[in-house]
Each structure stands twice: as C-alpha cells, then as structure tokens.
Amino acid sequence: MKTENTSKNAAYTGLFAAIAASSCCIPPVIALIAGVGGSASALSWMEPFRPYLIGLAVIAIGYAWYAYLKPKKADDCCEVDAKPKWYQTKGFLIGITLFAAISISFPYYSHIFYPDNKKEVIVVNQSDIQTVNFDVKGMTCASCEEHVKHAVNELEGIVNVAASYEKANAEVEFDNTKTSKEDIEKAINSTGYKVINK
C-alpha cells in the first residue's frame, strides 16, 4: 500500500513539475485566446527554474514507473490481488508520462497557436518607413516572442516585426504616417512585457 501511494505521489509530482516547467509559456497563449494581454508575462519569473523542474518531472515520473514495474515480494502471503485503482494502472502512468512530455515540450510548438495576423502594407513613400529597435523586458521563450509580434501586427502600418527573447528586443519596421513609436510601445506593454526606455 505504501509503495502504491508513493508511486501515485511521484506521478502527481512529476505532472505538476512538468506543467510548472512550461508555466512561463502557457499564459501568453491562453491570454491570446482569451483576448487579454496584460497577464501574459505573469509567470515569466519561473523560466530560470525550468531546467530544475524538468529534472524533477523526469525523476518523479521515472520513480513512479520504477515503483510500478519493480517485482512484488514473494513472501506477501496474505495480500489478495484486488482490482487496482485507476491511479495504480499502467494506463494512468502512460497518460501522466505523455501529458508531462507534451507540457515540457510546449515552448517548442506553442507558436502554432498564434494566428498569422501579418497584413500587407502598401508603402506610398519609402521615406515614411522607419525601423525602431525596442528593448523588451520579460520575454523568456518563443511563445513570448509570438505574443509581442501578434500585438504589434494588430496596428496599422506595420511592415515587419522581429522579436527575440534571447536578445530581449523587438525590431519593428513601420510606416510612420500610419502609426507611431508610442503606439508600438503601448502595444508591446499591453502584452505584459515592458519596453525599457534608455
């Protein structure tokens, strides 16, 4: 009985750690779907802990599998083989393992949830095109980049947006007769990430 509870607790710990490992990337997608931007970066502080949480998830789920698969002691003469509870089944462990793998890998495929909102901009005068580099605080993954690009592309006159969490910036090419640096800064700030003014 003790091993069964330990296995169940290890599986839940692994599941929780896997979800927490990607918690910095899940809110931007949820915020986009819900139409609220300001809360997107709420859990970005967890990103530095991601490798540790992934390690915890792998160890906990590995232990749950070990506890499930290890041979039972032969001297348990009085134990009756009853139908196992749902959390004691192989299916439960497979489900937890797959869900944890999907959660851990979420930052690598989260961009598919962002619709392409890039518009075709007709440039009347090439001298009206301006490129500005914004330093952006709070982006921690590709999902953050996509959220910033999506918010900026909602504005009129945006020619191109390139955001990078590694460089902590967003480079925006735009028609200054249709939008302004201030509007772009507001759009970025509305996502929950902040433009740093030098």
Side-chain angles (χ1 to χ4, degrees), residues 117-123 153 156-159 178:
N117 67 342
K118 193 171 184 176
K119 298 177 258 207
E120 187 175 325
V121 177
I122 299 172
V123 178
N153 272 323
E156 290 296 320
I158 300 299
V159 176
K178 296 180 181 175

Side-chain angles (χ1 to χ4, degrees), residues 103-178:
S103 296
I104 288 171
S105 62
F106 186 79
Y108 304 107
Y109 65 84
S110 62
H111 64 278
I112 65 172
F113 295 104
Y114 288 92
D116 185 16
N117 67 342
K118 193 171 184 176
K119 298 177 258 207
E120 187 175 325
V121 177
I122 299 172
V123 178
V124 177
N125 187 354
Q126 190 63 33
S127 64
D128 293 334
I129 302 300
Q130 185 177 357
T131 303
V132 178
N133 187 37
F134 296 91
D135 292 325
V136 182
K137 180 182 176 188
M139 292 191 298
T140 59
C141 66
S143 184
C144 301
E145 293 173 356
E146 291 296 324
H147 196 194
V148 168
K149 290 193 299 191
H150 187 271
V152 173
N153 272 323
E154 292 289 316
L155 299 171
E156 290 296 320
I158 300 299
V159 176
N160 189 36
V161 182
S164 170
Y165 75 92
E166 293 168 334
K167 296 177 185 175
N169 75 346
E171 188 173 278
V172 182
E173 186 178 2
F174 63 98
D175 184 338
N176 61 18
T177 63
K178 296 180 181 175

Side-chain angles (χ1 to χ4, degrees), residues 43-76:
L43 296 174
S44 64
W45 62 270
M46 290 187 72
E47 198 276 332
F49 302 107
R50 181 171 163 70
Y52 304 108
L53 291 167
I54 290 172
L56 176 62
V58 169
I59 290 169
I61 291 174
Y63 178 77
W65 275 104
Y66 167 76
Y68 176 79
L69 295 173
K70 80 176 181 180
K72 307 292 184 243
K73 293 180 182 176
D75 63 338
D76 289 341

